[in-house]
Amino acid sequence: MEYRPLGRTDLRVSVICLGTMTYGEQNSEAEGHEQMDYALERGVNFFDTAEMYSVPPRAETYGRTEEVIGTWVKASGKRDKVILATKVVGPGERFAHVRDGNPKFNREHITAAVDASLKRLQTDYIDLYQLHWPERSTNTFGKLNYVHAEEQDWTPLEETFAVLADLIKEGKIRHVGLSNETPWGTMKCIALSDAMGLPRPVSVQNPYNLLNRSFEVGLAEVAIREDCGLLAYSPIAGGVLSGKYLDGAQPEGARMTLFPGNFSRYLKPNAEEATIAYAKLAKEYGFAPADLANTFVNTRQFTTSNIIGATTMKQLESNIDTAEMVLPEVLLEEIEKVNQLYSNPCP
């Protein structure tokens, strides 16, 4: 297993990060514990979660994933073996069940969120605390084009990062990260932190896969030059790049079979054509389609860690196996040809 620096911290995280959002929905507590045990045995020292999980988010399962991790932490006694990341919910119509129904990144809300996460996780500290998505309006979650909105009532970044600084002083969190953030937002937070002596973002957790390489347009340079690397989520585009949904297939128990409305951004025009092309390349060069997709993400210069997600142990094993894989240069050239034909069909 390869380990990479988490920003400018002294932490080194595995190139494979265990995503956990299925725990408490598609995976039981026992299955979640089995996954965490196995991942740790394979050298994965980085687990990622969020207060809003399980996914899809709903009041009945809010915080459930953190609770599953917490019971594992207590039972295993291995908290010190894991770099644990979680996130605070941003605003949105789907989160009327979170705090006062209008989540903000202000002192009251962040403090309450951290304390609740610590309790569910059964730990005294969180290694990486992330803002799950911007409080302001941006072009995230399936949007490429930015449409400006004159808002708006969003918490000044100075206040947000001052709160996070206090939480670091209190020992509740160690480092700060961004998620679903834009180039402007990432650079603004970094510049603000540097100028005011506030916590510097060490990572940005955004979608990145063969069907959505929008991170490369503006954020890749930021990630490399500012040591604020990508924590890539949806590396196989919600399972689409495995090829299992081709020709209208709806595999039993699969995410988009169970929750089609929650992952529609992966089923857009040109997505199937691109997936077929990548699957053909995978077969030609001796890779499983999902392995090709994960290995591509693992090996980008700006990637700090690839957040994989699995509902079965077989999926988990093959995902972790990709940490040892490389793609030949000729295959990378063929991937670029497909990307030119089908550029970012699933932003």
Side-chain angles (χ1 to χ4, degrees):
M1 182 62 65
E2 180 185 354
Y3 300 90
R4 298 174 180 174
L6 181 63
R8 296 177 181 176
T9 76
D10 59 357
L11 297 180
R12 298 184 70 85
V13 297
S14 49
V15 67
I16 298 294
C17 174
L18 181 64
T20 63
M21 72 180 189
T22 59
Y23 300 176
E25 182 66 65
Q26 289 177 266
N27 288 109
S28 67
E29 181 177 52
E31 289 169 340
H33 287 197
E34 183 183 16
Q35 285 196 15
M36 288 182 277
D37 284 335
Y38 178 78
L40 195 58
E41 289 172 7
R42 290 289 306 274
V44 175
N45 72 343
F46 193 20
F47 295 178
D48 179 75
T49 189
E51 66 164 321
M52 63 167 263
Y53 297 165
S54 307
V55 167
R58 52 196 178 97
E60 294 81 0
T61 56
Y62 166 74
R64 181 60 185 140
T65 300
E66 288 186 330
E67 291 173 348
V68 171
I69 295 172
T71 57
W72 179 85
V73 166
K74 183 177 181 180
S76 70
K78 295 180 179 178
R79 173 66 184 91
D80 62 332
K81 306 296 183 183
V82 175
I83 296 169
L84 187 56
T86 192
K87 313 178 197 75
V88 55
V89 165
E93 294 178 356
R94 303 171 75 185
F95 301 98
H97 56 280
V98 179
R99 287 177 283 285
D100 65 2
N102 185 27
K104 295 283 189 181
F105 292 152
N106 58 25
R107 182 169 296 276
E108 177 187 359
H109 283 221
I110 291 179
T111 301
V114 166
D115 289 342
S117 286
L118 288 169
K119 184 176 181 180
R120 287 189 292 264
L121 292 166
Q122 300 196 49
T123 184
D124 296 327
Y125 65 97
I126 295 162
D127 295 290
L128 177 63
Y129 199 61
Q130 302 156 102
L131 306 176
H132 206 152
W133 56 85
E135 194 177 326
R136 66 191 192 279
S137 296
T138 60
N139 52 324
T140 55
F141 299 117
K143 301 175 185 177
L144 275 179
N145 297 333
Y146 173 72
V147 178
H148 189 65
E150 290 293 348
E151 274 110 3
Q152 316 168 0
D153 178 26
W154 52 283
T155 308
L157 293 171
E158 293 88 342
E159 177 181 344
T160 298
F161 278 80
V163 177
L164 296 170
D166 289 343
L167 291 169
I168 290 174
K169 292 175 184 176
E170 294 171 20
K172 293 182 178 181
I173 66 175
R174 297 180 68 188
H175 303 289
V176 173
L178 306 172
S179 183
N180 297 296
E181 189 52 274
T182 67
W184 180 87
T186 303
M187 281 306 305
K188 187 72 173 179
C189 291
I190 289 171
L192 179 70
S193 300
D194 287 348
M196 300 183 65
L198 296 169
R200 196 178 202 273
V202 302
S203 58
V204 54
Q205 183 176 148
N206 277 29
Y208 183 73
N209 54 63
L210 288 170
L211 300 180
N212 179 4
R213 294 173 57 178
S214 57
F215 188 90
E216 297 175 19
V217 176
L219 272 165
E221 183 179 11
V222 175
I224 294 168
R225 293 189 186 278
E226 298 293 337
D227 300 311
C228 187
L230 170 66
L231 306 183
Y233 77 80
S234 292
I236 59 172
V240 168
L241 284 164
S242 72
K244 65 184 178 183
Y245 298 110
L246 289 175
D247 298 320
Q250 293 186 313
E252 184 178 355
R255 185 181 307 168
M256 276 181 273
T257 303
L258 294 171
F259 316 112
N262 284 273
F263 301 97
S264 59
R265 66 181 179 271
Y266 298 125
L267 299 173
K268 291 187 175 182
N270 292 332
E272 180 146 339
E273 290 84 352
T275 299
I276 291 170
Y278 289 125
K280 183 179 178 181
L281 283 178
K283 182 178 181 180
E284 182 179 346
Y285 286 87
F287 289 89
D291 291 348
L292 171 69
N294 270 316
T295 304
F296 181 81
V297 174
N298 296 344
T299 53
R300 299 306 89 199
Q301 184 181 0
F302 47 79
T303 299
T304 294
S305 192
N306 175 8
I307 305 173
I308 54 94
T311 54
T312 70
M313 289 303 295
K314 183 178 180 181
Q315 290 171 342
L316 181 62
E317 291 166 13
S318 61
N319 287 344
I320 295 176
D321 286 345
T322 65
E324 308 298 327
M325 297 181 183
V326 294
L327 304 179
E329 191 63 34
V330 64
L331 175 53
L332 290 172
E333 292 172 1
E334 293 299 319
I335 286 172
E336 289 308 311
K337 292 177 183 178
V338 176
N339 183 53
Q340 290 299 312
L341 287 174
Y342 308 107
S343 180
N344 297 320
C346 301

